[in-house]
């Protein structure tokens, strides 16, 4: 009964490809997030959705497009992957602005 | 604007000795502050959270942190390190109603036998 789950856990792909990462939470939270952790372990928020509505959209290339089909899911689609997109992507969820619970991460490697 | 700075990128201690991981914050308003731990190839796990109820916050695994407004600090401590504490620790702060968290750069804790 994983609280926040992400698929896939590992993703290796070629430059220029399009890929998606899925996130699901079973905590009944209304807010979900995507974070990027770069090679230096620096964690930065990318997006946040509250009740399926986009509320935080940091300076992220348009190639990244989040989609929230319902409150329990927040997927991240990345078009035209670049070498610099290689990172660990974490999904998180919370109830309003309370404590955020993180998924295990998706390790993306772009070759 | 909210920012969080972790003062040490790497801390090394011997098993059984105290742990101190330092975090300073800057904020124009009362923050909520967190410490998360990340073990190798794992996600982030919440250690503890400050939300102005008490300045000394106790977390899991024997960790605690003290909020000091005069020093704008939220340092993480543990009286006696255990080998299983070896991990990377992130201090984070949030100050908006949308739950936007700003993280520090992380501190790698190494515990020697």
């Amino acid at each position: 009964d994983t609280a926040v789950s992400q698929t896939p856990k590992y993703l290796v792909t070629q430059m220029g490809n399009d890929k998606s990462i899925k996130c699901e939470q079973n905590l009944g939270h209304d807010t979900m997030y995507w974070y990027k952790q770069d090679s230096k372990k620096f964690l930065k928020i990318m997006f946040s959705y509250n009740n399926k509505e986009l509320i935080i959209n940091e300076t992220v290339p348009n190639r990244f497009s989040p989609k929230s089909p319902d409150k329990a899911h927040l997927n991240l689609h990345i078009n035209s992957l670049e070498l610099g997109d290689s990172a660990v992507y974490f999904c998180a969820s919370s109830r309003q602005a309370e404590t955020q619970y993180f998924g295990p991460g998706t390790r993306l490697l772009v070759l | 604007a909210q920012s969080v700075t972790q003062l040490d990128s790497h801390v090394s201690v011997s098993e059984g000795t105290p742990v101190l991981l330092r975090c300073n914050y800057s904020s124009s308003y009362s923050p909520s502050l967190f410490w998360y731990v990340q073990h190798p190839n794992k996600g982030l796990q919440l250690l503890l959270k400050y939300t102005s109820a008490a300045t000394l916050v106790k977390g899991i695994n024997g960790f605690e942190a003290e909020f000091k407004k005069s020093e704008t600090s939220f340092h993480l401590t543990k009286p006696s390190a255990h080998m299983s504490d070896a991990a990377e620790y992130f201090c984070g702060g949030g100050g908006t109603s949308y739950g936007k968290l700003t993280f520090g750069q992380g501190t790698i804790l190494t515990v020697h036998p």
Side-chain angles (χ1 to χ4, degrees), chain B residues 46-101:
Chain B
L46 181 71
L47 276 178
L48 49 81
K49 171 183 174 182
Y50 166 76
T51 54
S52 76
T55 56
L56 184 62
V57 183
K58 292 190 184 298
I60 61 171
N61 301 335
F63 284 95
E64 61 182 38
E66 186 172 7
F67 174 73
K68 292 187 176 179
K69 189 173 182 178
S70 60
E71 298 176 9
T72 60
S73 69
F74 190 57
H75 300 335
L76 181 71
T77 60
K78 183 172 179 178
S80 176
H82 192 271
M83 295 297 290
S84 60
D85 295 328
E88 186 152 16
Y89 292 78
F90 291 92
C91 181
T96 73
S97 61
Y98 298 115
K100 178 179 174 181
L101 281 187

Side-chain angles (χ1 to χ4, degrees), chain A residues 8 15 19 37 50 66-67 87 107:
Chain A
M15 254 192 333
K19 291 293 179 185
Q37 186 178 45
N50 176 260
K67 283 187 172 52
R107 284 144 187 84

Side-chain angles (χ1 to χ4, degrees), chain A residues 28-93:
Chain A
H29 290 162
D30 54 9
T31 307
M32 296 185 72
Y33 313 79
W34 277 110
Y35 287 84
K36 180 180 179 181
Q37 186 178 45
D38 62 23
S39 58
K40 295 182 180 177
K41 296 295 188 71
F42 184 59
L43 260 171
K44 188 169 166 51
I45 192 166
M46 301 172 69
F47 302 102
S48 172
Y49 271 73
N50 176 260
N51 286 316
K52 303 198 303 174
E53 184 178 339
L54 182 65
I55 53 172
I56 294 176
N57 185 353
E58 294 294 285
T59 307
V60 177
N62 292 337
R63 299 181 295 103
F64 289 80
S65 53
K67 283 187 172 52
S68 182
D70 55 59
K71 286 197 301 184
H73 295 84
L74 180 62
N75 303 324
L76 183 65
H77 188 75
I78 315 170
N79 288 327
S80 303
L81 278 156
E82 299 178 357
L83 293 177
D85 298 332
S86 296
V88 183
Y89 292 85
F90 286 102
C91 176
S93 73

